Amino acid sequence: MGRRRKKQRNNLDIQVVLLFIISIVLGFLIYGKPGYIGQNLIPHLEYAIGWIQYLIPVAIFAAAVNLACEEDKKTVIIKVVQYLTLVLAISIILTVFNGNTGVVGKAITDCLVGLVGKASTVIISLGVLVILSIFMYGIKPAEKVKEIVEERKERKLEEKENREQRVKSR
């Protein structure tokens, strides 16, 4: 059992390092002075996904950090797909508001807008962002809402007690 856990840990370490390397190389290709591959890759990437290309190295880097820090170890592919889906949802929202997100973002946005309209497309994309945030970061909206309601109840109770004390002191 200890041997299997060590192998899983090594596999995770390799995945995290690989993601860091990929994000750094993509960052240099996109932001820096690219070599032959970058000079041929970047125009196609820009055509396909527009300025969203600048978010991809950041998304992959964030996936690596999240994978390294998260207790529930998922495969690297699931993490990267989650982050890329997050970027795609942002791309769809921006395309609805006339942003240039390339042919991929435009095609998906046009399909969604044709099916459900602009407002619903934005709402669906925001829903995807929220759902992904829940899965990726462990945000528990039900607990947050409960905390807010309980705090509000406590404040009202305190206000009521303060009013009663003021009335008694008069």
Side-chain angles (χ1 to χ4, degrees), residues 153-166:
K153 283 181 182 178
E154 288 175 9
R155 254 188 274 135
K156 283 188 175 185
L157 184 62
E158 288 174 5
E159 289 173 4
K160 183 178 177 183
E161 289 173 356
N162 288 339
R163 269 187 263 130
E164 289 175 355
Q165 287 178 354
R166 277 186 261 143

Side-chain angles (χ1 to χ4, degrees), residues 36-106:
Y36 177 77
I37 292 174
Q39 289 173 351
N40 291 308
L41 175 70
I42 301 307
H44 296 294
L45 195 57
E46 191 171 346
Y47 173 74
I49 60 175
W51 64 269
I52 297 295
Q53 71 179 339
Y54 297 108
L55 296 178
I56 290 183
V58 175
I60 293 174
F61 189 84
V65 170
N66 194 335
L67 187 65
C69 296
E70 192 172 288
E71 292 143 16
D72 179 21
K73 304 299 182 201
K74 297 177 182 172
T75 65
V76 68
I77 293 172
I78 291 172
K79 282 290 175 197
V80 171
V81 167
Q82 285 176 336
Y83 276 95
L84 292 178
T85 304
L86 193 76
V87 169
L88 181 63
I90 293 168
S91 170
I92 290 169
I93 292 169
L94 295 174
T95 302
V96 168
F97 296 111
N98 296 323
N100 177 18
T101 57
V103 293
V104 174
K106 180 123 178 71

